[in-house]
Amino acid sequence: MPLGPSSSAIYLQNTSSSVNAAPGRTPTAVTIHPVALFSILDHYLRRTDAQERVIGTLLGTRTDTEIEVRSSFAVLHSETSEQVAVDMEYHRSMYELHHKVNPKEIIVGWYSTGSNLNTYSALIQNFYSQETAPHQAIHVALDTGVEDGKSAGVKAYVSSPIGIFPKPENCVFVPIPCELRFHEAERSGLDLLTSTASLPSSESPLQPASDLEIFDQSLQSVQDMLDRVLGYVQKVLAGEVEGDRAVGRYLMDTLGASTDDIEKGGFNTSLQDTLMISYLANLVRSQAEISSRLALTAAS
Amino acid sequence: MAATSMAAALAASLPAPQAAPAPAAPTYEAIPASMSKAIDIEAEIPLTCVQLDGLVVTKILKHSREAPSTTAHGLLLGLDLDGILEVSNSFPLPHHNNDDDDKSAKSIARYQASMLRSLKEVQGDDNVVGFYQATTLGAFFNQTLVDTQAIHQERLRHGGIVIVHDLSQTARGNASFRAFKLTPAFMDAYKKANFSASSLISHRLTFSSILEEVPLKIRTNPLLSSFLGAMAAPSTSSLTGVHPKSATTSALPPSFSVLDLGNTGLTRNLEQIAEAIDSYRTEEGNVAYHSRQIAREKLRADTYVAKRKEENASRVAQGLNPLPEEDISRLFKIPPEPSRLESMLLLGQVDAFAKSLESNASAGLVKMYAARASSGI
């Protein structure tokens, strides 16, 4: 699940170790948890007028080659034409606070908004490399899509020194692939957000929605997809579009799904079980209700 | 009182809520006339709705799933505006182990204070409005929740709210967030620390009237909405002739886990109902034992009093001075009436488990019929 518009960038893996290469391999992939992204967006919304971009620390876990960004927090910084300053004390104390709740998450790099990589980025990158030493720090640039001509997206970079005499203010940011990752159980939460995001804020439905409503929405979207597929198939049959064999095979596999289980009497057994459970649940509930009422009358 | 000082502090900070996610609150120096009705310094407008920011939704989701036990909890930060409580940020609280209660309570308080200070430095909201709690299968009634909320309700503006997040329902494809506050009747009984049968009757308390639900809405700010839209939109690969599976990609492909027919978790649910009923029975046994003890002591006291009266009457008839009336309460220790709070909470748990079982079963029923209809039997 790549983030942002697809690019034709080829991800280079430089295995040849450079002069001051850190031990441990260069990360080759980055995955980001939604909560980290949303925190960055929130931080961007809350920036002061003077700030052009905001930066912060990324926390997560790392394996040999992959970095999983799991959360992030904002860090104060100031940029002028002459200098850049990062509030390191704040960064440290905030990290300690986060560490108390999530001891597994360590500093893996930093984020900034906007896709402008400049000398200051290199300097900040240098600072974070010291924080993550001996591993390499990653940099995640999040384009909010607010500025003209730029679409929203996320890019991840690792840095490598450049020049004959490596200086902290010079470095090459090498792009590495970056994906969104979350646990399957959290999926419904994101669905909830995407569904409210598409509605105007005044119309957002009251929570929690019932199971059946969610089921209904899901069926509706399946129906829309079926309609699209049907339209495509009819076009192919009418000779308007040339059919794609691969698509045809996929359709065959998907729509030919077997329903043997239901047909072979499994339906009735399952139905009886479900009804039984439903009956039991109702019985328990009414017993509980009666019991609580009895407690009110017993003494009088 | 804390409430007024907090209101005063809020009033002082009101002229610059430029960072607040309130769409209706632009940057201003003084409260304009149009806003004077919406901003209540004295917290007079009652809460009608809780508005949960997208960021908070994901934060709670992540914390609840990752927490070592099911007791993930944290603080909610935000502002209230015109009866709507806007929850704009949250942070998790460290999991405390019970072995060192006093020390851990202190360290949590320290953690909380420094976290709030840090958030304020980066223009985050630092006004505590309540807390959140993760649960499984809808059973969130427990002593800790009630205690914490009772403390909050006394200290916070508008009493604060508790947001309950149901992990198991979220795993089934329906992310569930509900907002609650304690009812005035329960607060009254709680303040008097009196949960005897008579107090329950006079407050008309059952498990369903401990908490009242506050309507809850999810809000995503425009930036987040557009970002989500960009992520969910499928993007076509720039290469030609690629496999259909990888031709279009999206960071958030549609998911259909809701349509799964399997009734997973029903067994676990049933087990938990049985467990809750067992502990309820034990608790009821305790209460009954206490009640019998009380009845026995009372009977003994009554017979003693009756005997003394009889004796006195006969002494008077014989022309002697009656024996002095003695303090019965000093002679017979009548134990205090047992608190029924625990059993009430357990009953609430039983009910919640049964409710989630029922809704699970009925949803399964609908899905089964739908599957049968579509397979054309």
Side-chain angles (χ1 to χ4, degrees):
Chain A
M1 291 179 275
L3 282 162
S6 66
S7 72
S8 53
I10 298 168
Y11 297 115
L12 295 174
Q13 316 278 337
N14 71 330
T15 43
S16 63
S17 53
S18 48
V19 191
N20 54 353
R25 279 191 235 156
T26 316
T28 53
V30 174
T31 59
I32 303 187
H33 192 275
V35 83
L37 286 185
F38 294 175
S39 303
I40 300 173
L41 287 175
D42 189 65
H43 184 202
Y44 183 71
L45 268 186
R46 285 164 191 278
R47 72 194 189 282
T48 54
D49 287 340
Q51 280 176 299
E52 211 158 272
R53 63 171 183 178
V54 292
I55 69 158
T57 304
L58 298 173
L59 299 174
T61 53
R62 76 170 84 230
T63 60
D64 240 3
T65 54
E66 196 180 292
I67 288 184
E68 190 177 353
V69 177
R70 301 168 68 90
S71 60
S72 68
F73 61 84
V75 170
L76 291 169
H77 92 300
S78 69
E79 277 179 74
T80 59
S81 51
E82 286 105 39
Q83 60 165 352
V84 57
V86 178
D87 192 338
M88 293 183 202
E89 208 174 300
Y90 181 84
H91 158 79
R92 294 263 158 72
S93 65
M94 202 64 180
Y95 171 62
E96 267 158 34
L97 289 177
H98 273 268
H99 198 72
K100 267 188 193 158
V101 183
N102 260 322
K104 277 189 218 147
E105 295 180 1
I106 50 166
I107 302 174
V108 292
W110 65 291
Y111 71 78
S112 79
T113 55
S115 47
N116 185 16
L117 295 169
N118 53 21
T119 313
Y120 293 156
S121 302
L123 282 171
I124 300 171
Q125 173 77 12
N126 184 48
F127 163 67
Y128 274 96
S129 300
Q130 290 161 13
E131 291 288 309
T132 59
H135 300 281
Q136 276 198 324
I138 55 157
H139 171 49
V140 167
L142 180 139
D143 228 317
T144 48
V146 174
E147 285 149 53
D148 269 348
K150 285 185 185 162
S151 56
V154 180
K155 290 192 179 72
Y157 302 95
V158 287
S159 70
S160 63
I162 193 174
I164 304 167
F165 305 107
K167 284 187 211 162
E169 65 263 34
N170 297 333
C171 82
V172 177
F173 283 99
V174 185
I176 50 174
C178 167
E179 284 184 357
L180 191 70
R181 179 182 294 172
F182 46 87
H183 195 265
E184 199 43 50
E186 292 168 6
R187 175 65 214 222
S188 58
L190 285 177
D191 284 342
L192 180 68
L193 290 186
T194 37
S195 66
T196 38
S198 55
L199 293 170
S201 61
S202 54
E203 287 175 24
S204 61
L206 287 181
Q207 291 299 319
S210 71
D211 277 350
L212 286 185
E213 277 171 53
I214 305 276
F215 184 57
D216 180 53
Q217 284 167 15
S218 212
L219 280 185
Q220 206 72 44
S221 77
V222 170
Q223 201 168 9
D224 288 348
M225 286 181 181
L226 283 179
D227 284 346
R228 258 176 65 200
V229 169
L230 203 64
Y232 172 74
V233 171
Q234 269 163 357
K235 268 188 198 162
V236 172
L237 286 181
E240 288 173 34
V241 213
E242 199 186 334
D244 189 331
R245 279 160 205 275
V247 172
R249 292 236 169 77
Y250 264 97
L251 284 178
M252 182 111 153
D253 284 353
T254 315
L255 297 176
S258 145
T259 49
D260 276 350
D261 278 0
I262 301 177
E263 285 160 31
K264 282 182 194 151
F267 181 77
N268 281 331
T269 338
S270 190
L271 181 69
Q272 275 165 8
D273 286 354
T274 317
L275 283 177
M276 181 70 197
I277 284 174
S278 168
Y279 174 72
L280 177 72
N282 277 316
L283 194 68
V284 170
R285 283 197 73 192
S286 40
Q287 288 278 357
E289 190 66 40
I290 290 172
S291 170
S292 71
R293 299 279 152 147
L294 280 181
L296 290 192
T297 54
S300 59
Chain B
M1 206 20 227
T4 50
S5 69
M6 197 177 251
L10 193 94
S13 67
L14 268 179
Q18 55 198 4
T27 319
Y28 41 70
E29 295 304 316
I31 301 173
S34 58
M35 290 298 287
S36 61
K37 262 189 195 160
I39 297 170
D40 58 329
I41 294 163
E42 300 298 331
E44 278 161 349
I45 305 177
L47 284 186
T48 53
C49 182
V50 174
Q51 185 177 293
L52 203 59
D53 205 77
L55 175 67
V56 186
V57 170
T58 47
K59 274 193 171 175
I60 296 179
L61 273 175
K62 175 172 177 281
H63 181 216
S64 324
R65 197 183 63 75
E66 284 176 354
S69 59
T70 53
T71 54
H73 65 296
L75 284 184
L76 301 169
L77 310 171
L79 277 177
D80 61 290
L81 184 73
D82 200 12
I84 297 174
L85 186 69
E86 294 172 358
V87 181
S88 61
N89 206 344
S90 73
F91 62 87
L93 288 176
H95 179 69
H96 54 94
N97 20 1
N98 295 325
D99 47 330
D100 216 347
D101 257 346
D102 197 35
K103 210 173 153 194
S104 71
K106 260 183 201 157
S107 85
I108 285 178
R110 230 183 0 252
Y111 166 83
Q112 195 172 319
S114 42
M115 192 62 142
L116 287 175
R117 209 171 41 241
S118 307
L119 284 175
K120 195 184 174 71
E121 275 188 57
V122 284
Q123 282 95 37
D125 283 338
D126 65 334
N127 180 25
V128 180
V129 294
F131 73 109
Y132 66 83
Q133 172 90 46
T135 107
T136 48
L137 297 168
F140 49 85
F141 279 113
N142 60 38
Q143 192 81 42
T144 353
L145 182 131
V146 169
D147 285 345
T148 322
Q149 177 60 12
I151 295 170
H152 277 191
Q153 204 137 339
E154 273 178 20
R155 283 204 199 144
L156 297 182
R157 227 169 106 80
H158 285 308
I161 44 144
V162 47
I163 287 186
V164 174
H165 167 58
D166 192 332
L167 273 170
S168 48
Q169 209 178 352
T170 307
R172 280 210 311 269
N174 179 6
S176 130
F177 292 90
R178 300 169 76 186
F180 289 99
K181 60 199 287 186
L182 296 173
T183 53
F186 180 82
M187 270 314 276
D188 196 36
Y190 189 89
K191 265 185 212 153
K192 289 176 192 154
N194 182 4
F195 288 102
S196 61
S198 57
S199 157
L200 290 192
I201 291 166
S202 67
H203 288 109
R204 310 196 62 75
L205 274 181
T206 64
F207 60 85
S208 49
S209 59
I210 295 179
L211 295 169
E212 57 181 328
E213 186 158 4
V214 185
L216 185 139
K217 277 184 180 177
I218 306 285
R219 176 178 183 271
T220 52
N221 57 48
L223 187 66
L224 184 55
S225 303
S226 76
F227 198 82
L228 276 172
M231 281 204 300
S235 59
T236 12
S237 170
S238 49
L239 305 170
T240 50
V242 284
H243 202 248
K245 206 170 188 175
S246 53
T248 54
T249 50
S250 156
L252 270 178
S255 119
F256 296 102
S257 60
V258 194
L259 300 179
D260 280 351
L261 265 182
N263 282 327
T264 50
L266 282 187
T267 345
R268 173 114 189 82
N269 204 336
L270 282 171
E271 274 169 17
Q272 274 180 323
I273 288 189
E275 254 169 50
I277 290 179
D278 275 348
S279 38
Y280 174 68
R281 275 188 54 87
T282 320
E283 180 63 28
E284 275 297 272
N286 281 345
V287 171
Y289 173 76
H290 277 289
S291 313
R292 275 201 302 277
Q293 199 116 351
I294 292 169
R296 209 178 304 140
E297 287 293 322
K298 267 193 180 151
L299 193 68
R300 277 174 59 193
D302 285 349
T303 44
Y304 179 82
V305 171
K307 218 171 125 192
R308 175 58 59 89
K309 268 190 185 152
E310 215 171 283
E311 213 173 312
N312 278 350
S314 61
R315 278 174 79 101
V316 171
Q318 288 169 14
L320 294 168
N321 283 339
L323 291 174
E325 291 277 332
E326 281 177 64
D327 195 5
I328 314 165
S329 59
R330 226 185 299 160
L331 280 176
F332 298 96
K333 275 222 171 325
I334 297 178
E337 216 177 317
S339 160
R340 286 174 184 270
L341 177 61
E342 184 65 31
S343 69
M344 194 163 66
L345 290 174
L346 282 170
L347 213 52
Q349 283 210 5
V350 173
D351 180 71
F353 281 134
K355 200 172 172 185
S356 100
L357 184 65
E358 188 200 344
S359 67
N360 204 346
S362 55
L365 211 59
V366 172
K367 280 183 216 169
M368 278 171 57
Y369 272 106
R372 193 172 78 148
S374 65
S375 67
I377 304 171

